[in-house]
């Protein structure tokens, strides 16, 4: 079986920013992002043939990482009408009959990483597809068994794909992010280290520790200003380790399912779906699910 693990937070943001007709539900509440999320999940099930599916979602934007780095991403700048749709999106996912892991202390990415590693070890699983373009999740890619799936661009990254895209293997992605930073997550990286230099160094030395231990004279020739960069890394070593910690996904998120078979989609419960549509006054969604769960 193939397992599809969906970054629902990403899909909700993508639906919000995509050009689409306005949708208003109860009390005139904007719900176009929710209906867009429903559409993409149903497309995954109907058109892409997904059979074993789960979603991870950030119930809140902040996480334990905000305690480690004050500049880490928050809800600041996120439109209020998008934040208001977060709980409705969770209701929609559950009403569709898809398992949902809603994160508070940890992040959706941590749940996806936890699930990817767990279900990759399930003997019945032929492939795990982590459905997100988020480069953080590239760190859990393993051969062609666990892959990163960018559905919007119709791109799939296996181990070779990760190396071609970011210049390092999956295991070095947190070290790479520590050097170059991650604007989406709100940490800056180490001054002077661009993507090319970071990729060359980690391709040669694997880890931050390996880069630090290597004499600048032994660094790849395409890394310009090796002496200066080595000095900067030494001076900012504490930051580098912290940023790697921020970028390293946790594998202990609250994912209650123990086997991949528990993720099998059995269809949508008609009563639960119709109750959701009635509660949020979304009559156009009532007939959208293509398969109903047997009574």
């Amino acid at each position: 079986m193939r397992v599809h693990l969906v970054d629902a937070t990403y899909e909700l943001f993508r639906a919000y920013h995509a050009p689409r007709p306005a949708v208003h539900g109860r009390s005139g509440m904007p719900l176009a992002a929710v209906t867009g999320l429903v559409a993409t999940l149903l497309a995954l099930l109907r058109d892409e043939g997904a059979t074993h599916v789960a979603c991870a979602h950030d119930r809140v934007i902040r996480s334990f990482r905000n305690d480690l780095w004050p500049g880490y991403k928050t809800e600041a700048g996120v439109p209020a009408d998008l934040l208001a749709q977060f709980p409705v999106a969770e209701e929609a996912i559950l009403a569709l009959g898809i398992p949902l892991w809603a994160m508070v202390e940890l992040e959706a990415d941590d749940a996806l990483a936890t699930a990817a590693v767990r279900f990759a070890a399930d003997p019945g699983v032929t492939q795990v597809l982590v459905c997100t373009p988020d480069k953080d999740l590239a760190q859990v890619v393993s051969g062609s068994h666990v892959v990163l799936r960018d559905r919007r661009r119709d791109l799939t990254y296996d181990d070779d794909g990760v190396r071609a895209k970011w210049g390092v293997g999956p295991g070095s992605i947190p070290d790479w992010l520590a050097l170059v930073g991650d604007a989406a997550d709100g940490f800056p990286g180490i001054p002077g280290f661009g993507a090319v230099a970071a990729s060359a160094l980690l391709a040669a030395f694997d880890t931050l520790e390996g880069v630090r231990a290597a004499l600048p004279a032994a660094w790849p020739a395409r890394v310009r200003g090796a002496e200066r960069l080595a000095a900067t890394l030494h001076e900012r070593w504490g930051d580098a380790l912290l940023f790697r910690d921020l970028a390293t996904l946790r594998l202990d998120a609250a994912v209650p399912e123990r086997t991949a078979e528990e993720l099998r989609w059995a269809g949508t419960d008609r009563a639960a779906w119709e109750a959701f549509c009635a509660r949020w006054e979304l009559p156009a969604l009532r007939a959208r699910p293509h398969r109903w769960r047997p009574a």
Side-chain angles (χ1 to χ4, degrees), residues 39-60:
T40 195
L41 290 175
L42 289 175
L44 178 67
L45 294 162
R46 180 186 63 245
D47 302 333
E48 299 182 41
T51 59
H52 295 72
V53 183
C55 289
H57 185 249
D58 292 297
R59 179 160 289 174
V60 295

Side-chain angles (χ1 to χ4, degrees), residues 11 13 37 43 54 60 66 81 86 97 134 153 161 163 173 181 188 195 198 242:
E11 293 292 357
F13 272 75
L37 171 66
V60 295
N66 293 92
D81 61 331
F86 275 35
D134 191 341
R153 298 180 179 87
R163 294 175 190 274
I173 288 290
L242 172 59

Side-chain angles (χ1 to χ4, degrees), residues 123-263:
V125 172
T126 56
Q127 189 176 52
V128 176
L129 298 96
V130 184
C131 299
T132 179
D134 191 341
K135 55 186 173 294
D136 294 7
L137 268 302
Q139 66 192 263
V140 301
V141 168
S142 177
S144 59
H145 188 54
V146 179
V147 298
L148 197 64
R149 174 70 178 152
D150 183 342
R151 295 175 62 217
R152 184 171 72 86
R153 298 180 179 87
D154 192 22
L155 295 171
T156 301
Y157 299 96
D158 58 8
D159 186 286
D160 289 341
V162 170
R163 294 175 190 274
K165 174 71 173 177
W166 290 286
V168 297
S172 295
I173 288 290
D175 302 76
W176 187 85
L177 289 169
L179 291 176
V180 304
D182 190 336
D185 285 342
F187 59 90
I190 305 304
F193 284 88
V196 172
S199 296
L201 288 166
L202 291 168
F205 305 117
D206 293 326
T207 64
L208 294 177
E209 288 82 0
V211 173
R212 189 187 191 203
L215 294 175
W219 285 17
R222 61 181 174 143
V223 177
R224 303 294 181 86
E227 293 284 352
R228 173 180 52 82
L229 290 178
T232 300
L233 181 60
H234 181 79
E235 294 165 3
R236 301 290 296 273
W237 184 244
D239 286 342
L241 295 180
L242 172 59
F243 297 154
R244 184 173 63 183
D245 285 345
L246 295 176
T248 300
L249 298 178
R250 295 274 294 268
L251 301 179
D252 59 349
V255 174
E257 292 82 4
R258 308 309 300 180
T259 67
E261 185 57 31
E262 295 174 73
L263 305 183

Side-chain angles (χ1 to χ4, degrees), residues 48-84:
E48 299 182 41
T51 59
H52 295 72
V53 183
C55 289
H57 185 249
D58 292 297
R59 179 160 289 174
V60 295
I61 302 295
R62 295 173 187 258
S63 70
F64 79 95
R65 292 179 175 88
N66 293 92
D67 296 328
L68 301 177
W69 179 253
Y72 201 74
K73 64 182 177 184
T74 70
E75 67 284 350
V78 180
D81 61 331
L82 173 55
L83 288 171

